[in-house]
Amino acid sequence: MISRTLGPEFGGSIGLMFYLANVCACGVYILGLVEAILDVFGADGSGASSSKALPQGYLYGFLYGSGILFLCLLVCLVGAQIYSRAAFFIFLVVNLILVTIFASFFAVGPQVVTVSRDGNHSFNASFTGFNLSTLRDNMYAMYSRDYTTNNIMTFATVFAIMFNGCTGIMAGSNMSGELKNASNSIPKGTIVAIVYTFVIYLLLFFMTSFTCERALLKGDNSFFRSINVWPPFVLIGIYSASLSASMSSLIGASRILHALAKDDLFGETPQSPPAAPQSQPAAPQSPTRSAGQIYC
């Protein structure tokens, strides 16, 4: 679309960067999924209910991520129709999980949550329920140190994490070649996805800042599981959303690269010049003779 509106120069450069961004995003989503799985089922899991069944380490993490990537590859290789069905099923599952999360803010009463950090130490944080003082305490930015790098967080680092959660709205545009009426479906689908994502995130931000202490928000990466009516619901939602995002990035990157190649945005493939037509032999001509020679 960009190459047809702004020209092939813009379309080729932006398309190449968009392709690389989708490839990297697929890896980011898979690493996040592996981290979420190991947090519960890993040998060094930080969760209180960790089953500690899966061994951990750099090579193990690489193995788990490669296995999940291979699973996503198989789904994408089967075809876009199977991917669309799987994505729609995951969409329904995630929406069901969102309903349970919103209901938990009202159904779960105030409680103290024990937060464990790397299995070395733990502290208590509170889920206060709807409380104006909790909202007032969470209104101002108080950046702390990242417990993995010990660096002070900034707006840029927090936005970089948040930005990855908003890129799924482009999944439909990447699959524009599979749509029956792309010119009508892409604008409507993109606008609906933006509005839906904005409303869901805004409600989650507001309700968490109204009910959860800052110590709980900072210390417990999976605090939704701690305050849910049934904690496994949140795990299912995290795994489903991460798997869907990785598959959409993988198949979307292939469609972008195919569009770039189809439009010849980086120059046409050089072809050998056509062979020169072979000259036909001239028809033999009878020698011209003068009248005197004929009579002789």
Side-chain angles (χ1 to χ4, degrees), residues 21-222:
N22 275 269
V23 172
C24 296
C26 180
V28 170
Y29 291 132
I30 289 178
L31 290 177
L33 178 56
V34 171
E35 182 178 350
I37 292 175
L38 294 178
D39 186 58
V40 179
F41 301 101
D44 301 328
S46 60
S49 60
S50 177
S51 62
K52 302 184 183 300
L54 297 176
Q56 288 188 237
Y58 177 79
L59 293 180
Y60 282 110
F62 181 81
L63 177 63
Y64 302 147
S66 300
I68 296 174
L69 179 61
F70 182 71
L71 176 63
C72 297
L73 176 64
L74 291 180
V75 175
C76 295
L77 285 178
V78 170
Q81 187 175 7
I82 299 298
Y83 161 75
S84 300
R85 292 179 179 178
F88 182 70
F89 174 75
I90 293 176
F91 172 76
L92 296 179
V93 171
V94 171
N95 278 272
L96 177 62
I97 304 303
L98 284 174
V99 172
T100 64
I101 290 176
F102 285 120
S104 299
F105 286 109
F106 300 93
V108 177
Q111 58 180 328
V112 176
V113 179
T114 302
V115 181
S116 177
R117 182 67 57 81
D118 296 334
N120 297 325
H121 63 279
S122 60
F123 59 93
N124 294 329
S126 298
F127 172 75
T128 63
F130 289 93
N131 194 315
L132 285 176
S133 61
T134 304
L135 176 64
R136 189 165 47 250
D137 294 339
N138 290 327
M139 288 295 292
Y140 302 99
M142 295 176 60
Y143 298 112
S144 59
R145 292 186 179 272
D146 182 12
Y147 71 95
T148 57
T149 62
N150 203 30
N151 295 329
I152 294 292
M153 293 292 97
T154 61
F155 176 81
T157 55
V158 176
F159 179 77
I161 298 173
M162 176 61 193
F163 179 76
N164 292 327
C166 302
T167 55
I169 58 178
M170 298 302 298
S173 300
N174 296 341
M175 299 292 295
S176 59
E178 310 295 332
L179 300 175
K180 294 181 180 180
N181 189 4
S183 61
N184 185 40
S185 299
I186 289 179
K188 291 182 179 179
T190 304
I191 293 174
V192 171
I194 292 174
V195 173
Y196 182 79
T197 304
F198 175 79
V199 172
I200 293 296
Y201 280 0
L202 184 63
L203 289 176
L204 287 176
F205 294 158
F206 177 75
M207 298 181 79
T208 52
S209 60
F210 222 126
T211 57
C212 300
E213 281 187 347
R214 184 180 294 268
L216 179 62
L217 299 177
K218 287 183 176 181
D220 191 357
N221 297 331
S222 58

